[in-house]
């Protein structure tokens, strides 16, 4: 029998799949970022982790990767597909919509951050080329981590999300010329730095123009032929062929394979097959990213840190002391509110995933000493680790600034009219409150709205809506809304505790004022009834009934029969709430069926 596996790198692939399929999901359950999980596993299972003991403990040879050269081809493939996915997501329309922030704010952020950090690195004795590499590397932020944090807060579409995305977008675009510049500097083709930068830019422009012209002329017809066969395998094969062909062309031209993959993504982003390609490549995306990050972790020698732990802490603190103020000042100069600018600066203060690529390539090309590169790789990784904590602090700081400035403006410039009467008070002006306002406007029903999100208040107030900053659970705020002359109060706040406090406050001061409350589920509805709500509308009950009605109607059932069945089930569900809450006989209003 053969003493070695017949499949090349079988052991390395097996170790990676075990890590990706078993260990990393365990990290996810602990709410640890998969990026950090792959980095940690790479460091643990790599040649500078358990691999150091593989010679003494024979069994470790089957669980570690002690030869970094054996995984480099796979890691390069991970970088290629990573850049392809970024290029695929950069549709020209997205760039154009955010062109001012992307090419203005984003470009200045990269340029100024590179200059400041580069000058500091040069002052510490690094060569001009090494200082430039360090400045470029740390001008980049973590797209994966920042966008995930924004998505968890549902803040991608907010001013903070748009500003952060614009900066990250330019950073992703800047990676390509940065990689070209590193290749030029490492090759020593030009002794003068400005000339090297100009040559890198000209090379990038020529490569992009050539591949775009050829790709746009050939790729769409080829994909059309592949899709006409209705064979998913053939379509996937053509997609992979396009990626690897452009990568091979750029490598043959002396550029990086990653550049070719990036350009392939840009070309595909303009075709009608973009979404199909995204669906096909998505299953591989996580594994390829994990492979890349594991390879980075494997190449990180943490023994370097043990020699200078104080410098490590100082470097991380220094990064967050330098980068956020630059970003915040630029964001504020571009017209963003102060609280958004400050929060964006702190959110983008870490190093990024592509810093690993930049630093690794610079070390391989001799631009950075090995110890310096290893140290900076660890600084980048640890800055990403602390980002969730920094983001939480940034959120608190941003909220404080927002409430201080926007809240004062709301109370100073916009007072409720003194003569208003028979109006409705809307407690909470989110999506539900805004929909109610539109209905009231259609029926000429006056209303006053309250919300604790000062940014939301300022935005709608600028549009002329009677929205005011304040907590509806406070009696003095309700008195300023003239609750004694109101027709009723509608509680739409998303927080169950806040909704219950508001209902109690209204009922304690104005016992006969009708209070209609939005409930998240049946349990919440019972609590609101116990607090004194006149009527409640449970979201889950009504959503389920509406979904059932749509399904039955689409299946061909008569609309009248469906409406009757839904109405009967609604009465049954709401009767259960009344009985369970021991409330008055008619406190739950059934929403009208279609």
């Amino acid at each position: 029998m053969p003493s070695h596996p017949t499949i090349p790198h079988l052991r390395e692939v097996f170790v990676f799949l075990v890590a990706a399929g078993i260990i990393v999901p365990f990290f996810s359950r602990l709410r640890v970022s998969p990026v950090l999980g792959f980095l940690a596993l790479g460091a643990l299972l790599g040649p500078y982790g358990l691999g150091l003991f593989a010679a003494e403990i024979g069994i470790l040879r089957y669980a570690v990767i002690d030869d970094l050269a054996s995984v480099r081809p796979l890691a390069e493939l991970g970088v290629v597909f990573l850049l392809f996915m970024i290029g695929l997501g950069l549709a020209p329309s997205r760039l154009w919509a955010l062109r001012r922030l992307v090419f203005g704010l984003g470009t200045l952020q990269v340029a100024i951050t590179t200059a400041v950090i580069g000058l500091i690195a040069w002052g510490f004795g690094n060569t001009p080329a090494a200082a430039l590499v360090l400045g470029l590397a740390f001008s980049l932020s973590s797209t994966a981590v920042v966008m995930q944090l924004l998505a968890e807060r549902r803040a991608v579409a907010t001013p903070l999300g748009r500003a952060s995305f614009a900066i990250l977008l330019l950073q992703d675009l800047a990676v390509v010329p940065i990689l070209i510049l590193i290749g030029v500097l490492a090759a020593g083709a030009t002794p003068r730095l400005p000339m090297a930068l100009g040559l890198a830019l000209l090379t990038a422009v020529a490569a992009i123009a050539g591949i775009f012209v050829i790709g746009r002329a050939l790729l769409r017809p080829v994909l059309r032929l592949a899709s006409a066969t209705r064979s998913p395998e053939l379509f996937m094969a053509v997609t992979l062929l396009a990626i690897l062909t452009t990568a091979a062309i750029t490598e043959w031209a002396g550029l990086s394979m990653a550049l070719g993959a990036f350009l392939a993504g840009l070309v595909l982003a303009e075709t009608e097959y973009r979404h199909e390609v995204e669906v096909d490549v998505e299953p591989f995306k996580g594994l390829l990213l994990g492979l890349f990050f594991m390879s980075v972790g494997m190449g990180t020698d943490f023994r370097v840190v043990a020699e200078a732990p104080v410098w490590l802490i100082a470097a991380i603190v220094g990064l967050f002391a330098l980068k956020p103020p630059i970003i915040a000042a630029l964001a504020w100069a571009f017209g963003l509110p102060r609280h958004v600018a400050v929060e964006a600066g702190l959110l983008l203060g870490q190093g990024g995933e592509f810093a690993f690529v930049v630093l690794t390539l610079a070390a391989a090309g001799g631009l950075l000493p090995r110890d310096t590169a290893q140290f900076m790789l660890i600084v980048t990784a640890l800055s990403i680790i602390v980002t969730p904590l920094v983001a939480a602090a940034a959120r608190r700081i941003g909220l404080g600034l927002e409430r201080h400035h926007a809240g004062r403006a709301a109370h100073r410039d916009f007072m409720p009219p003194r003569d208003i009467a028979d109006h409705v008070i809307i407690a909470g002006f989110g999506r539900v409150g805004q929909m109610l306002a539109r209905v009231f406007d259609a029926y000429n029903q006056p209303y006053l709205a309250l919300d604790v999100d000062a940014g939301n208040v300022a935005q709608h107030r600028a549009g002329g809506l009677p929205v005011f900053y304040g907590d509806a659970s406070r009696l003095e705020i309700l008195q300023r809304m003239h609750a004694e002359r109101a027709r009723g109060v509608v509680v739409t706040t998303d927080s169950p505790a806040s909704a219950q406090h508001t209902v109690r406050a209204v009922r304690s001061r104005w016992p006969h004022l009708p209070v209609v409350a939005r409930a998240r589920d049946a349990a919440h509805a019972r609590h609101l009834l116990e607090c004194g709500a006149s009527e409640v509308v449970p979201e889950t009950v009504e959503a389920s009934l509406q979904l059932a009605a749509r399904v039955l109607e689409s299946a061909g059932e008569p609309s009248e029969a469906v409406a009757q069945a839904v109405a009967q089930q609604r009465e049954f569900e709401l009767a259960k709430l009344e009985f369970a809450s021991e409330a008055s006989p008619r406190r739950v209003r059934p929403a009208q069926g279609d």
Side-chain angles (χ1 to χ4, degrees), residues 185-347:
L185 293 176
T190 54
R192 298 175 60 186
L193 193 57
M195 188 178 298
L197 180 59
L199 180 62
L201 292 177
L202 288 176
T203 305
V205 170
I208 291 173
I211 291 179
F212 255 87
V213 171
I214 298 174
R216 296 181 68 178
L218 298 179
L219 191 56
R220 182 178 276 109
V222 173
L223 288 174
R224 186 179 298 115
L225 290 174
S227 63
T229 64
R230 300 184 181 276
S231 172
E233 294 81 6
L234 179 60
F235 191 87
M236 170 64 79
V238 171
T239 301
L240 294 177
L241 179 63
I243 298 171
L244 296 179
T245 299
T246 52
I249 291 174
T250 52
E251 186 182 34
W252 174 80
L255 304 174
S256 67
M257 292 180 62
L259 171 61
F262 176 79
L263 296 177
L266 285 179
V267 173
L268 282 171
E270 292 187 317
T271 69
E272 62 270 28
Y273 305 101
R274 170 190 170 189
H275 298 294
E276 180 69 20
V277 172
E278 286 180 335
V279 172
D280 288 341
V281 177
E282 186 66 28
F284 305 100
K285 179 182 177 182
L287 287 177
L288 294 170
L289 287 174
L291 179 60
F292 163 64
F293 288 121
M294 278 192 68
S295 68
V296 172
M298 291 174 187
T300 304
D301 189 353
F302 284 88
R303 294 175 298 178
V304 176
V305 181
E307 302 174 1
V310 175
W311 282 108
L312 175 64
I313 297 174
I316 297 173
V317 173
L319 180 62
F320 279 99
L322 287 172
K323 198 171 175 182
I326 295 173
I327 298 175
L330 289 172
W332 183 66
F334 270 75
L336 294 173
R338 187 174 303 175
H339 66 276
V340 173
V342 171
E343 188 171 357
L346 290 170
L347 192 62

Side-chain angles (χ1 to χ4, degrees), residues 514-528:
V515 180
V516 181
R518 160 200 178 193
R520 300 186 66 178
D521 49 35
H524 186 211
R526 288 193 291 270
H527 289 314
L528 289 171

